[in-house]
Each structure stands twice: as structure tokens, then as C-alpha cells.
Amino acid sequence: MSDTFRADLHIHSTYSDGTFTPKEIVELAKKIGLQGLSITDHDTIEAYDTLFDLAQEAGLEVLTGVEFSAYHHGHSVHILGYGIDITHQPLIDFCKSHQQRRRERNLKMLEKLTAIGMKIEEEEILRLNDKSTGRPHIALAMMNRGYVGSVQEAFSLYLGEGKSCYAKGKMFTMVETVEIIHAAGGIAVIAHPHLISPPSLLREVLKYPFDGIECWYSRFSPEHEARWIDIADKKGWIKTGGSDFHGAVKPQTPLGCSWVNRECFDLIKKGSS
Ligand code: AMP
Ligand code: FE
Ligand code: FE
Ligand code: ZN
């Protein structure tokens, strides 16, 4: 049966900006015939409090994961950590620092919105999510108040990087993020490399000693995937893949639309053990 194995390794739950709980993700994964998964919430590993038991019950294999928001020379780079020890205290503390960073940054953005007549209370975003709260929740609160017609509009006019109500806040570097993932026994993987810009930044990031790169992503075409597969092969990096599932807020990328096979799943597991 090994040839039918599929594992989606890029999934967001209600612990960050997804709309499915870990239980709902496991149920859906089972229903669509996946055999393995990794929940990679933004800057938090809280989904793992329940995920192991849920997955075991459903007969699914789990690889621990997280997607950290990091910066390199002021530019955003998302880094996936797989096979991390979720009881590693420095990793838990790092996630806590991220939550603090998020809170401070969110408050700055709410202040900027208030200043242009779009008042939103912190409580309104915490009601949507009090775990790893971020811009998608602010965008939803803006929609709820009728300030914008869609989440996309909120990002393109106000919350996107460099837009009028965007705030960077504290930044954790790519280097320290990779170090934390390694200290927790995991492998550090460049997430959705096509989103890294400008091109000079991508070139620099690709020179950094990562362990892997996300080659199968969302609805990438085979031609697009080939570029990252070629880089992984040349560098001897581990190849990973997943849908970047966020549930109802991103219906265009359903669970399981990208995945890794048994061989890749085992290589990632081995690379992080
Ligand atoms: P944050 O981590 O709070 O900075 O928010 C980043 C998250 O917002 C990303 O992981 C995406 O899920 C979402 N996002 C980023 N850009 C957009 C966009 N243009 N439209 C909708 N969602 C977006
Ligand atoms: Fe997200
Ligand atoms: Fe990401
Ligand atoms: Zn993601």
C-alpha cells in the first residue's frame, strides 16, 4: 500500500489562522484518504496538545511541524520546522515570544486603523482567535465592522506589507529561527520559496544552510515545482510539500491538494531524528 501513501505537510488550524480545529482537520484528512499530516500553525505548536491522540484514533501518521514568521534583512521569510520536539522548552519559549510579538504588533495596527477612522477593539480580534492572532483576524474584524468588503481588500489597501496600517513590530531573524528548530531536533525548511522577494533576497536565502525546501505547494504546476526540485537535488536538500490549507478563508487550496509520498515522509522523519 506504500504507493498510495499521501501526507499533507502544510496545514493551519484554529490555533493560528485556519478555520478548522485539529479534530476537524483529522476527520477531513481521513475522509479524503490521506495517510499522514503535519499541522504547521504560524508560530505555535499548540495543536499538538491533542493531535497525536486524534491522529492515532484515525490511523493517520503525524510529523510535528510549525511555520515560523522570520525576517532576513528586514524582509519576511516563512520557515517550516519539521520533526521538532514539542516538549523542548526553548522552542516553547520561542513560541511564547512570538505570541507577545504578535500582540504588540496587532495593537500597533489597530492604533493605525483607529487613526484613519476604522476603530476595532482588541477584544474583537481575540474573539476570532486568541491563540496566534494576526492580520487575517484583523481583516475579518474589519469585514465584520463593514470597513471592507473582503479580507483581500483589507490586505491590499491596509494590512499588506508596506500598506498604510501595516506594522512590522519585533522581528525574529531567519538565523535564530533555524537555530531554534535545530536545537529542538527538527529540520528547517524554506516555505513557499516563490513568495520570497525581491529576487536578491531569494538568492541569499537559498545560500543559507537550510535542510530542505518546500517543492510541492498548493496548486503549483509541475513546471513550477520542477524549479524547486532541481534546487533541492543540487543542494542535497530534503523536499517537502503541502497544501497550506487554511479552511474556509482560503477555499482555493483544499486539504491534500499538495502532498508528499512515503519516501519523502520517511526522509523528513529520518532527517529530523
Ligand atoms: P501575520 O502572520 O499576522 O503577519 O499574517 C500573515 C498571514 O496572512 C499569512 O500567513 C496568510 O495566511 C495571510 N495573508 C497574507 N497576505 C494575504 C492576502 N493578500 N490576502 C489574504 N490573506 C493573506
Ligand atoms: Fe496563514
Ligand atoms: Fe506561509
Ligand atoms: Zn502556511
Side-chain angles (χ1 to χ4, degrees):
M1 293 294 279
S2 63
D3 56 334
T4 62
F5 182 96
R6 288 184 300 141
D8 188 334
L9 302 184
H10 193 152
I11 302 172
H12 295 275
S13 80
T14 43
Y15 283 97
S16 63
D17 57 356
T19 63
F20 280 48
T21 63
K23 185 166 187 280
E24 289 164 341
I25 288 168
V26 166
E27 282 165 2
L28 182 59
K30 183 83 185 158
K31 191 169 143 204
I32 64 171
L34 293 179
Q35 281 77 35
L37 82 169
S38 179
I39 290 186
T40 51
D41 274 315
H42 296 292
D43 310 319
T44 177
I45 49 177
E46 282 179 87
Y48 290 90
D49 292 349
T50 56
L51 187 64
F52 294 115
D53 288 347
L54 290 166
Q56 197 182 13
E57 255 173 59
L60 297 175
E61 289 188 47
V62 171
L63 186 65
T64 55
V66 63
E67 182 178 21
F68 281 123
S69 318
Y71 282 85
H72 192 57
H73 301 323
H75 295 282
S76 165
V77 180
H78 281 188
I79 302 174
L80 292 157
Y82 290 116
I84 39 173
D85 170 7
I86 53 150
T87 66
H88 183 71
Q89 197 55 47
L91 178 77
I92 295 168
D93 294 343
F94 189 61
C95 289
K96 273 193 200 136
S97 306
H98 264 288
Q99 303 321 314
Q100 184 62 27
R101 164 189 78 80
R102 282 180 170 279
R103 172 148 199 255
E104 287 163 10
R105 186 203 55 162
N106 291 342
L107 289 175
K108 274 192 200 157
M109 287 194 281
L110 294 187
E111 255 174 50
K112 288 188 176 187
L113 285 166
T114 300
I116 59 163
M118 296 187 183
K119 188 168 175 57
I120 292 172
E121 305 289 347
E122 187 187 20
E123 183 194 282
E124 288 169 61
I125 57 168
L126 294 179
R127 227 183 286 136
L128 297 167
N129 181 300
D130 62 355
K131 307 290 184 190
S132 196
T133 322
R135 286 181 288 161
H137 309 105
I138 297 178
L140 278 174
M142 290 170 77
M143 253 180 83
N144 290 345
R145 284 257 196 172
Y147 296 146
V148 288
S150 67
V151 164
Q152 192 50 49
E153 189 187 332
F155 270 91
S156 57
L157 294 181
Y158 307 103
L159 304 178
E161 234 175 300
K163 302 295 172 188
S164 61
C165 297
Y166 175 73
K168 249 188 185 132
K170 183 175 164 53
M171 293 179 271
F172 292 101
T173 68
M174 177 179 88
V175 175
E176 69 187 310
T177 304
V178 171
E179 277 171 9
I180 280 278
I181 292 170
H182 284 165
I187 63 159
V189 173
I190 303 170
H192 40 62
H194 67 296
L195 293 180
I196 300 176
S197 75
S200 57
L201 176 73
L202 176 62
R203 281 196 295 277
E204 252 198 60
V205 170
L206 288 173
K207 278 189 214 148
Y208 195 74
F210 277 94
D211 307 295
I213 185 164
E214 194 168 42
C215 294
W216 302 285
Y217 177 79
S218 193
R219 291 195 180 278
F220 270 2
S221 65
E223 297 75 39
H224 197 157
E225 288 167 353
R227 178 180 178 197
W228 312 115
I229 290 169
D230 185 51
I231 288 174
D233 284 339
K234 287 198 173 113
K235 290 178 178 287
W237 280 355
I238 290 171
K239 302 174 194 103
T240 76
S243 59
D244 208 356
F245 180 68
H246 281 71
V249 286
K250 222 175 151 192
Q252 67 276 23
T253 57
L255 191 68
C257 69
S258 257
W259 43 273
V260 299
N261 63 18
R262 173 92 257 173
E263 190 189 350
C264 283
F265 189 85
D266 288 345
L267 277 174
I268 299 165
K269 247 191 166 157
K270 205 170 102 199
S272 59
S273 57

